[in-house]
Every structure is written in structure tokens, then in C-alpha cells.
Amino acid sequence: MRVPLSWLREYVDLAEDATPEDVLAAMVTVGFEEEDVHRFEISGPVVVGQVVSLEAEPQSNGKTINWCQVDVGEANGGIRGIVCGAHNFVAGDKVVVTLPGAVLPGPFPIAARKTYGHVSDGMIASARELGLGDEHDGILVLADLGIDAPVGTDAIALLGLDDVAVEINVTPDRGYAFSLRGVAREYSHATGATFRDPAERDFAELQPGTGHTAVVDDAAPIRGRAGASEFVTRVVRDVDPSRPTPPWMIARLSLAGMRSLGILIDITNYVMLELGQPLHGYDLDKLAGGITVRRAAAGEKMTTLDGQERTLHAEDLLITDESGPIGLAGVMGGGTTEMSDTTHNVLIEAATFDPITIARTARRHKLPSEASKRFERGVDPLVPFVAARRAADLMVELAGGTLTDEGGALFAEVFVADIDLPKGFVQGLIGVDYTDAEIEGALTIIGGEVTATDDGWTVIPPTWRPDLTDKWSLAEEVARIHGLDRIPSVLPTPPSGRGLTAHQHGRRRVADALAAAGFVETPSFPFTTEAENDLHGSASGAHLPSIRLANPLDGSAPYLRRSLIPGLLQTAHRNISRGLTDLALFETGVVFLPEPGVEYGTDEVPPLGARPSDETLAALNASIPPQHRHVAVLLTGNIVARQPGRAAEPAGLSEALDAARVVAAAAGVDIDVVQGQRAALHPGRTGVLSVGDVEVGYVGELHPDVAAGADLPGRATVLELDLDGILTLAVPRAVAASLSTFPAATQDVSLVLGADVPAGDVRAALAEGAGALLEAIRLVDDYRGEGLSEGEKSLTFALRFRADDRTLTAAEATEAKLAGVAVASERFGATLRD
């Protein structure tokens, strides 16, 4: 909210020497954030001059200029010769003259310069050059503004261009501060200065009369609240829309961030800024019959003031007459009844609309406005009568109109619920020992009605503060009024027994371990296509149900992901396109796994203003699909870059398996791998990962077609694990094994068996047969070729044996090894290779 200081002084005592910084500092003490200071970027000398004579001089370029003699007063050098290209003035007119040394907005410095054969000793200014509007077709003639000031008068002060505005940030719960009335009240709270309420008028003079009462026909109120609770109209006849807007009003509107659009519209905007009540003016002669406020019919259309035809929603609230819609209530008027240069009779509207209705309409049509900004935060329901009369008075005063007895009023009883504030509550919540007098004083000064009770107070908040709804918000007001600096900076003592859960610790360990292993975490959006979900979300590539978003950020990816791999592929493609080809990426995130045949989602959205019932919460939770946290890895390019004396080492399955082991170690589980099949992975280069008998993920090389479809130039290896599942299977507490002080005995064993037997199964058989003496087993060779029959392979395993209580002999190690071979032979027909 931008607040011109000259305007602020009308409603609160502001010291003459108060600077904008002083005002901002005061506003900060009552909870507002300072934003900026706004000034007219103009400096003098800028004075009132009178045209003594002018001579029209045609030029060779077809343009005609005026060589003028302008009297700017003896103190400013008397009569000066000035070249001017405008033709909307005559000798004797008083104009605004910018003399050499002046600087106009731009910045545009003024100096004496030779042009068109003359030395122009200054410039006669237009309204736009002075920053007073967009009019640039001619110079500013002061008589057109109703001004007759002596020659040589300082025009900057005369036109209000010496004013300055402070800008504060208004939070959504304090909509009353979107007005000079509200800001002046808050400045009074901050400084103790006397506040004069511009809305304080005798109610008898606010009665609008009869003949133009609106009808509210709301057949579908939102949450039981009618779209309009008040609708006040006043009629002003015989206005002159050609009258100029006074310079002081233009200056104030400009500093407040609004353009001057003509006297009638300027008045409605001025009153809105002054009182916080949005107004709308209709050309009375263009209205067809009476006004009805109703909801739109589905598919109904109207053209708003910005010239756009809009298709309406059934929730939109309309202002209509017999011709149809003439305005989007509380947002923007329609083009058919707008005030214009031909308007002579004006119907002024001041209403109270439902905040939720207005907010939804403004967002639905992407049509934020100064009016909707105030209505959606809540306006004072007692102000419409005052605002309508204030606008009417200004139209009489400034536009020459006549206030009539015509009008109408639709209003409802204003009821504000009282709030019980127990004694001691404010002190306990804020942590400051406020006295009872301080609490009562703070709540009274903000406009509340405070009544003492045996247990504390009963408080009726003021009508302009819809945000005060409970004892907590009242306590915050006490703290705000008496200064937030009184609140001690004491850190609360955290309760015992809190902290991260076991799963949260596990997730952090896994992410930290992968990062320490050289992988880069690349979070991505959880949105993808249905085809990607089918390809990566199931082993076979068959169609599986996916959750489609009702309002996706990207229409080409409207589904929630079933796998993390599509996001990693997009990240890899983006990096490769920028020249980063050696990638080791990982992501931990949620995937969404709806069950076949189950309908998810709901059209029933509970209201935000009240806590949903347990039944409603249960229904909402039931509408959410299962969500599992996964971890995924993608490797492409080289794991070791080419360098002198060493060839590049491409990333492959072994590095992906190492990443799986890193995750397993961090999570506290042992992961086994067996050969498997997945539609998105290369046949024969795919492994299924499991913990015990539970499958937890997969690893493998991307199918060449899939890699090409993702625009990856070479091989890519991926790994995806159900992180939640792994952490659930992990032992509750990992106990470090004691280190044996006895030496290890190592042996190798080579087994010949069928090529279709998984190496992982053979490894498990050897480990089972070797027993407790076996400390580690690792596959070191898979040979298929000369010396073996077709359909056979030779697997070589490195075995390490160790005992806790003695040094093993070679015979003991050999015996354990052969016991393992016996189990492998029994299960798979394995034989020792010669």
C-alpha cells in the first residue's frame, strides 16, 4: 500500500518535519514491513508562466512551431523566449514552465538550447512530462485545471508534485490497511498521534433514498454465504465528465500507484484508497431496468472493461440488469455501462461481497484488481454507506453534479461474535507480564469493545478486523500494540524423546553414503507420462494404473510417477546436451502406486475455515494412493576419465551393483542379486535385487531403444530400490562385529555347471555349505569357451575363511570349501574344474 504523506496528514497528526523514513519506522513497530519511498522525480525551477505572445513559424519538415514570449516573473528572469510545438494555448494563458536547471521525470534535464533558429530558454511542459498523467497531445494549461496562480509561483508545490509516499507491505490478514483510513489508524497506534476517522459521519445523512434498490438472487451460495450482503446505490445527476481532475488528486493517485482516468473514475478510485471500500460507477442512462446480483449460468459470457470476452463459471457472482451481465462483482465492471465522456447521470455502487466468491473469481479469470484485492481480504461492512456518500459529494464538488434522493440500500445486520479472553492467557502465550490495564488498553485502542468479567474479558472486535476471531489473535494484537521488542529472546527447551524417526535416519544415511561414493543428488518433479509409467513402472511393460492430475503444471506430463528413472533420464539428457557426459546421478523420492480397480481422489473439498471431522479425514486419506519412497541411480559415460597412461573406464553394471551395496550397507541389510528381465532393460544384463526372500528392486543396463528414446548417446545403467521396504527389513540396531586377531585362510574354487544356473544361487549354496568359518565369498570369473562343453560355464569364487579362536589350518579351510562344493553339486550338478 502506497500512502502519500499529505493525504495521511488529513486523518492523523503527522509532524511537519516528519520524514518518510520516520513514518516507515513507526509502521514497522506495529507489524508492517517497509517497502519503499516514492517521489515525483522532478526538481525546480518549475514555475507558473504567462504566455505574452506567440508566433507560428512553419518549418521545412512540414511542422509548425510556436516562438513564444513567456513571462515567468521578475525573480526568474522576466520574459523568456521558448520554442513550443504544441498548439492548444493562446496568448494570455498561464502554463507550467520548466526553466534551465530543472530536471523532469526520466530523468530529463532542462537547459537553454538552440532549436529551429531560436535559443529556447526553458520548456513549456505537458501533463505527462510533469508526471501528472498520460496526456501528451498538448501543454498543460492551468485554466483547464481551474487554477489561476500568480506568475512566478512554484508549480511543483502548486500541483502537489512535492508530495512523497511511503509503501508498506500489507499481509493478507490485514486488509483494512489497504486504505488511508487503516494506515492512519495504525500510525496513531504506533505514535499516539490523534486519529480522525474519515468514516465517522452522521448516519442520517448517509441514507441513500429509494428507486434503485438491487435484488440479490443467489441460488447457490458458497458455504452457505450469500454472494452479496450489502448493496448501496446513490444517484448523482448532471455531472460534467469533461471537468479536469484537480492536480492534488492526480498527484495523490499517482503516488498511490494509480493512473488518472478522468474525473468520475478518479473519484471512485480516490474513495477506495481513502476508505478501503471499492466502488463502481455506472452510466445511469445505459442501465436497462433494475440491478440483480446473481450467480452466472454455466457457459454464460460477458465482456469486461479490459475488452476481453470471458466465459463465466457457475460460481461467478454477476451484477446484471435486464440486458444481462454488466459486471463481475467485486472484480471488474462490464463495458456496456461504463462511465465515459458522454456520461451525465451516475449510479454509484458500494457493496459488501463474499470474500471467497471474489477470490475464486479473480483467480479463475486471472483478473486481479484493486477491488478484488480488498474484497477477498474483507472490507468493513459499515463503510459502504459512507463510501457511497463520499463519492457522491466529490462528484458534486468536482464534477458539478447534483445529489438526488434516488438510490437504494440492501443491507444485513452486522453481527460480530464476542471472544472470551481469560486472565493470564496473553502473558502465558506471549511471555511478557502485561498488566490488565495494558491488555484492556491495547484491545480498546484497536477499536474493540472490552468488557471485564470474573475470569478475564469479553471482547467484541471492530468490524474492520475480520482477522480477529479467537483469543490467540487478540493476544497477538496486545503484543503488537505494546511493541514486539518487549518479547524476550529465549529459546524454548525442546521436549525429550523427540527427533528423527528410524526411517528418517535411514534415508539420510543412504543419501549421505551415495553422495560420499561420488554420486550427485538431482531431485526432479514427480510428473511424467502414462507411457513412461508403463515402461518403467512394471517389469513387463504392461499397462498399470496411474494417477492423473486434475490441474497439471505441464499438460504433456499429467501423471504422477511410478518410478524415479524417467526423472533421472531427463536430468541426464539435460546435462549431456550441455556437454557433461560422465554422469553418476541419484535421487530419493516418492512414487505413487495406485492399486488396480481402486478409485482415488475426491470432488468433496472440505472448507478451509474449520477442522474436518474424523470421518472426512479418513475419507481423504483413503482417496490417496499408496506412496513409497524409492532411491534410484543412473550411470552413463566413464567412471574414470581418460588420462595419460590410463584408458577411460566406462561405467557399467559392476558400478551400479556397487551402488546397490552402498545403499544396503547404509540401510543395514544384505542385498542379493539374481538375473531377471524388465521391459526397459537390456536382456541378459538385468538383475533382480532382494533382501532375503523379499524383492526390493532391480539393476541393469537400459535397453538400447530406451536409451536412444531418451537421447542418451551411449550405454546407461540404472538401479532402483524400494527404500522404505529396505529400511523396514533392516535390523533395528546394527551391532559391530568384533575383529578377529587370527589370520585368514584364502582359497579359490572353480565349478563347472550349466550356463543357465544363476551365479547368485551357486554363491548362496557355497556359503551355506561352507558354514560359519566362511568370512567372505566373491565371484571373480565367469568363463565360457574352449575346454567346456556347449551349454556349460565355469564360475570361480574367491573364499576367505577365519576362526575367532584359533589359526585355521589349510586342511580345515579345504574341508569347509569342499562342504560348500558338495551343496552346490547336490543342487546344481556342479563339478570341480580340473
Side-chain angles (χ1 to χ4, degrees), residues 385-638:
F385 288 87
V386 180
R389 178 57 189 263
R390 171 69 166 148
D393 290 343
L394 287 174
M395 287 187 183
V396 170
E397 176 186 351
L398 304 177
T402 301
L403 180 61
T404 70
D405 292 333
E406 301 172 79
L410 170 71
F411 57 92
E413 180 181 358
V414 177
F415 173 76
V416 180
D418 55 16
I419 303 170
D420 290 329
L421 182 63
K423 280 191 176 181
F425 176 78
V426 175
Q427 295 90 332
L429 180 67
I430 305 301
V432 178
D433 290 330
Y434 297 111
T435 65
D436 290 353
E438 285 179 320
I439 294 173
E440 291 185 26
L443 298 177
T444 301
I445 199 174
I446 66 171
E449 297 181 19
V450 184
T451 304
T453 65
D454 294 338
D455 301 325
W457 300 271
T458 297
V459 182
I460 301 177
T463 55
W464 57 85
R465 295 296 303 273
D467 57 306
L468 301 181
T469 57
D470 49 41
K471 58 185 178 181
W472 290 275
S473 53
L474 293 179
E476 291 174 359
E477 286 300 294
V478 174
R480 185 175 68 86
I481 294 300
H482 287 298
L484 301 178
D485 56 326
R486 288 183 60 180
I487 302 175
S489 298
V490 179
L491 291 176
T493 302
S496 60
R498 302 286 179 88
L500 300 179
T501 65
H503 273 214
Q504 289 170 332
H505 277 297
R507 293 170 192 165
R508 291 193 177 188
R509 286 198 307 272
V510 167
D512 290 345
L514 284 171
F519 291 85
V520 177
E521 187 171 12
T522 57
S524 61
F525 287 118
F527 312 123
T528 187
T529 65
E530 192 172 29
E532 291 286 337
N533 269 344
D534 292 344
L535 178 61
H536 297 283
S538 67
S540 64
H543 174 69
L544 289 174
S546 298
I547 296 296
R548 183 184 179 94
L549 296 172
N551 187 24
L553 290 177
D554 182 357
S556 64
Y559 290 90
L560 292 174
R561 65 190 178 192
R562 293 185 64 96
S563 168
L564 300 181
I565 300 302
L568 288 176
L569 292 176
Q570 290 181 8
T571 302
H573 168 68
R574 191 178 305 114
N575 281 272
I576 290 172
S577 69
R578 288 160 174 77
L580 304 175
T581 56
D582 300 334
L583 302 173
L585 312 176
F586 83 96
E587 179 179 1
T588 62
V590 171
V591 297
F592 305 84
L593 307 175
E595 299 175 3
V598 179
E599 292 291 333
Y600 296 98
T602 178
D603 294 330
E604 298 296 327
V605 179
L608 300 178
R611 185 185 187 280
S613 65
D614 292 341
E615 293 77 10
T616 301
L617 289 174
L620 289 173
N621 288 330
S623 70
I624 300 174
Q627 301 176 38
H628 296 252
R629 188 172 295 273
H630 281 198
V631 58
V633 164
L634 182 144
L635 292 147
T636 188
N638 296 321

Side-chain angles (χ1 to χ4, degrees), residues 12-13 38 173 184 195 294 301 313 337 410 452 469-470 566 616 628 634 640 658 768 828:
V12 67
D13 290 341
H38 300 271
D173 60 329
F195 168 67
R294 62 169 174 83
K301 296 183 179 183
H313 186 275
T337 58
L410 170 71
T469 57
D470 49 41
T616 301
H628 296 252
L634 182 144
V640 176
D658 286 342
E768 181 182 336
F828 310 112

Side-chain angles (χ1 to χ4, degrees), residues 224-474:
R225 296 183 58 174
S229 56
E230 293 184 312
F231 202 96
V232 180
T233 59
R234 305 288 309 231
V235 174
V236 180
R237 293 190 176 273
D238 301 323
V239 296
D240 182 0
S242 65
R243 285 200 180 186
T245 302
W248 57 265
M249 181 177 283
I250 295 177
R252 289 180 175 181
L253 289 174
S254 179
L255 284 174
M258 304 189 77
R259 293 185 301 119
S260 175
L261 299 172
I263 183 62
L264 300 180
I265 297 176
D266 288 350
I267 286 173
T268 58
N269 287 335
Y270 186 84
V271 175
M272 177 184 67
L273 293 172
E274 183 177 70
L275 299 174
Q277 170 66 54
L279 299 169
H280 188 71
Y282 301 90
D283 188 325
L284 182 61
D285 298 323
K286 296 178 182 178
L287 285 173
I291 290 178
T292 299
V293 183
R294 62 169 174 83
R295 300 283 174 179
E300 192 172 5
K301 296 183 179 183
M302 73 163 291
T303 301
T304 47
L305 281 174
D306 57 1
Q308 298 293 317
E309 184 181 63
R310 303 183 182 276
T311 301
L312 305 176
H313 186 275
E315 280 189 356
D316 291 335
L317 192 69
L318 300 179
I319 311 297
T320 68
D321 63 4
E322 292 180 358
S323 67
I326 57 175
L328 267 176
V331 178
M332 185 174 285
T336 59
T337 58
E338 66 175 317
M339 296 184 294
S340 66
D341 294 340
T342 62
T343 298
H344 296 291
N345 302 306
V346 177
L347 179 74
I348 301 169
E349 165 216 311
T352 300
F353 296 117
D354 173 45
I356 296 174
T357 295
I358 304 306
R360 289 185 179 180
T361 294
R363 286 158 178 73
R364 184 181 299 119
H365 295 285
K366 297 180 176 60
L367 194 60
S369 65
E370 291 293 328
S372 66
K373 182 167 64 177
R374 288 163 173 80
F375 277 126
E376 65 189 35
R377 288 164 171 80
V379 299
D380 186 353
L382 299 183
V383 166
F385 288 87
V386 180
R389 178 57 189 263
R390 171 69 166 148
D393 290 343
L394 287 174
M395 287 187 183
V396 170
E397 176 186 351
L398 304 177
T402 301
L403 180 61
T404 70
D405 292 333
E406 301 172 79
L410 170 71
F411 57 92
E413 180 181 358
V414 177
F415 173 76
V416 180
D418 55 16
I419 303 170
D420 290 329
L421 182 63
K423 280 191 176 181
F425 176 78
V426 175
Q427 295 90 332
L429 180 67
I430 305 301
V432 178
D433 290 330
Y434 297 111
T435 65
D436 290 353
E438 285 179 320
I439 294 173
E440 291 185 26
L443 298 177
T444 301
I445 199 174
I446 66 171
E449 297 181 19
V450 184
T451 304
T453 65
D454 294 338
D455 301 325
W457 300 271
T458 297
V459 182
I460 301 177
T463 55
W464 57 85
R465 295 296 303 273
D467 57 306
L468 301 181
T469 57
D470 49 41
K471 58 185 178 181
W472 290 275
S473 53
L474 293 179

Side-chain angles (χ1 to χ4, degrees), residues 172-240:
D173 60 329
R174 302 175 73 178
Y176 66 94
F178 275 120
S179 67
L180 268 294
R181 180 195 186 206
V183 174
R185 190 190 307 275
E186 290 298 330
Y187 184 81
S188 172
H189 297 166
T191 63
T194 302
F195 168 67
R196 295 173 290 279
D197 190 351
E200 199 170 278
R201 298 186 62 165
D202 184 2
F203 192 73
E205 67 179 3
L206 303 179
Q207 297 303 310
T210 58
H212 293 278
T213 301
V215 175
V216 175
D217 181 17
D218 189 355
I222 297 178
R223 300 181 189 173
R225 296 183 58 174
S229 56
E230 293 184 312
F231 202 96
V232 180
T233 59
R234 305 288 309 231
V235 174
V236 180
R237 293 190 176 273
D238 301 323
V239 296
D240 182 0

Side-chain angles (χ1 to χ4, degrees), residues 611-782:
R611 185 185 187 280
S613 65
D614 292 341
E615 293 77 10
T616 301
L617 289 174
L620 289 173
N621 288 330
S623 70
I624 300 174
Q627 301 176 38
H628 296 252
R629 188 172 295 273
H630 281 198
V631 58
V633 164
L634 182 144
L635 292 147
T636 188
N638 296 321
I639 197 69
V640 176
R642 179 184 176 185
Q643 49 196 301
R646 185 173 182 179
E649 296 180 18
L653 270 176
S654 60
E655 286 73 29
L657 284 170
D658 286 342
R661 295 185 185 102
V662 167
V663 172
V669 297
D670 292 323
I671 285 183
D672 298 319
V673 56
V674 297
Q675 194 169 33
Q677 296 289 330
R678 287 189 73 87
L681 302 185
H682 195 296
R685 300 178 188 174
T686 302
V688 175
L689 303 173
S690 59
V691 175
D693 297 331
V694 180
E695 183 178 324
V696 295
Y698 61 89
V699 62
E701 183 181 309
L702 278 181
H703 193 287
D705 293 341
V706 176
D711 292 327
L712 302 185
R715 292 182 175 182
T717 309
V718 296
L719 158 72
E720 184 163 17
L721 292 165
D722 182 352
L723 184 54
D724 283 342
I726 291 175
L727 295 174
T728 301
L729 295 170
V731 294
R733 177 176 297 178
V735 179
S738 60
L739 297 177
S740 175
T741 59
F742 295 96
T746 59
Q747 295 198 18
D748 291 344
V749 61
S750 295
L751 299 176
V752 178
L753 67 168
D756 59 340
V757 179
D761 291 347
V762 179
R763 178 184 178 278
L766 284 171
E768 181 182 336
L773 293 179
L774 181 66
E775 184 177 75
I777 179 172
R778 181 166 54 91
L779 177 67
V780 295
D781 186 49
D782 182 340

